[in-house]
Amino acid sequence: AQKVTQAQTEISVVEKEDVTLDCVYETRDTTYYLFWYKQPPSGELVFLIRRNSFDEQNEISGRYSWNFQKSTSSFNFTITASQVVDSAVYFCALSVPMYSGGGADGLTFGKGTHLIIQP
Amino acid sequence: ETGVTQSPTHLIKTRGQQVTLRCSSQSGHNTVSWYQQALGQGPQFIFQYYREEENGRGNFPPRFSGLQFPNYSSELNVNALELDDSALYLCASRPRGRTYNEQFFGPGTRLTVL
């Protein structure tokens, strides 16, 4: 069974501050995928990034960066110079590939971190 | 825009009733998953359909059932509604050939059970 823990329920920062959202995962599979999704008030989940278990390179996309560390089972997300439009609930998720074990590959989500960026 | 649509947007039912939620994916999306998101929680995996057959289920009872059609649309059916079924229901689809689990989510249907 898989598990994703997002210990930070809510984070509030002032615009332009940097903020890091923590994610810790558990799985016995050696091949897995990690994701971050953003959920604005409208409710639709917006895909941000996918990382497979064999690729520990950190990634940067504009103001967003991700730090994947298998040694600590963590996949943290940092927003640099935060903006009000970044306000949303952010979810970390884990899945095992469809053909590993022959079953479905439903995502296991954490409970989410509500990020509030104050102007 | 993910190209995944869901209907209806909102729905109100009473306990014991049955409900059908619909999802329409892009052409070529042959895998669809359904999730239940209770207020303040992360989405929980209900089940997944691949080529019109259920190929996996989360911790949900049999009164949650589904269908997937050849035209890339799908349904989630819930019988004997309970108050705890009140939630946002999300469908997610994946294109044919994508083996790395990138799923595209629809906007969801918010179900309220009174």
Side-chain angles (χ1 to χ4, degrees), chain A residues 5-18:
Chain A
T5 301
Q6 294 180 257
Q8 303 151 310
T9 304
E10 182 175 291
I11 300 175
S12 181
V13 300
V14 177
E15 199 172 20
K16 297 185 182 177
E17 287 186 13
D18 298 347

Side-chain angles (χ1 to χ4, degrees), chain B residues 34-65:
Chain B
W34 285 89
Y35 294 82
Q36 179 196 66
Q37 186 178 14
L39 197 62
Q41 302 294 315
Q44 288 199 335
F45 174 65
I46 302 175
F47 48 55
Q48 183 176 85
Y49 277 76
Y50 174 63
R51 293 183 177 177
E52 301 168 40
E53 289 190 7
E54 182 181 311
N55 73 331
R57 172 178 285 261
N59 190 26
F60 282 81
R63 60 189 185 83
F64 286 79
S65 63

Side-chain angles (χ1 to χ4, degrees), chain A residues 66-119:
Chain A
W66 291 269
N67 183 353
F68 175 30
Q69 291 194 338
K70 287 179 73 171
S71 61
T72 56
S73 298
S74 66
F75 186 43
N76 297 335
F77 173 31
T78 297
I79 300 175
T80 303
S82 60
Q83 300 176 2
V84 173
V85 294
D86 296 327
S87 297
V89 180
Y90 290 85
F91 290 98
C92 180
L94 166 72
S95 78
V96 174
M98 189 172 183
Y99 300 106
S100 170
D105 59 348
L107 293 165
T108 299
F109 284 85
K111 292 189 175 182
T113 296
H114 185 197
L115 178 63
I116 301 168
I117 309 297
Q118 300 179 20

Side-chain angles (χ1 to χ4, degrees), chain B residues 5-113:
Chain B
T5 59
Q6 291 185 244
S7 62
T9 305
H10 296 88
L11 200 54
I12 299 175
K13 291 285 189 178
T14 56
R15 193 169 48 184
Q17 285 188 312
Q18 178 267 342
V19 68
T20 296
L21 311 182
R22 294 179 173 82
C23 173
S24 179
S25 306
Q26 292 184 35
S27 176
H29 286 211
N30 62 356
T31 302
V32 65
S33 303
W34 285 89
Y35 294 82
Q36 179 196 66
Q37 186 178 14
L39 197 62
Q41 302 294 315
Q44 288 199 335
F45 174 65
I46 302 175
F47 48 55
Q48 183 176 85
Y49 277 76
Y50 174 63
R51 293 183 177 177
E52 301 168 40
E53 289 190 7
E54 182 181 311
N55 73 331
R57 172 178 285 261
N59 190 26
F60 282 81
R63 60 189 185 83
F64 286 79
S65 63
L67 288 171
Q68 185 185 25
F69 303 101
N71 65 351
Y72 304 108
S73 65
S74 60
E75 291 180 355
L76 164 65
N77 299 290
V78 187
N79 294 322
L81 283 167
E82 301 176 0
L83 297 180
D84 284 348
D85 295 333
S86 294
L88 179 69
Y89 288 85
L90 298 160
C91 76
S93 67
R94 184 172 71 240
R96 178 184 300 124
R98 293 283 185 95
T99 61
Y100 43 78
N101 306 328
E102 180 175 349
Q103 301 188 27
F104 296 86
F105 282 83
T109 293
R110 186 162 298 282
L111 172 65
T112 301
V113 182

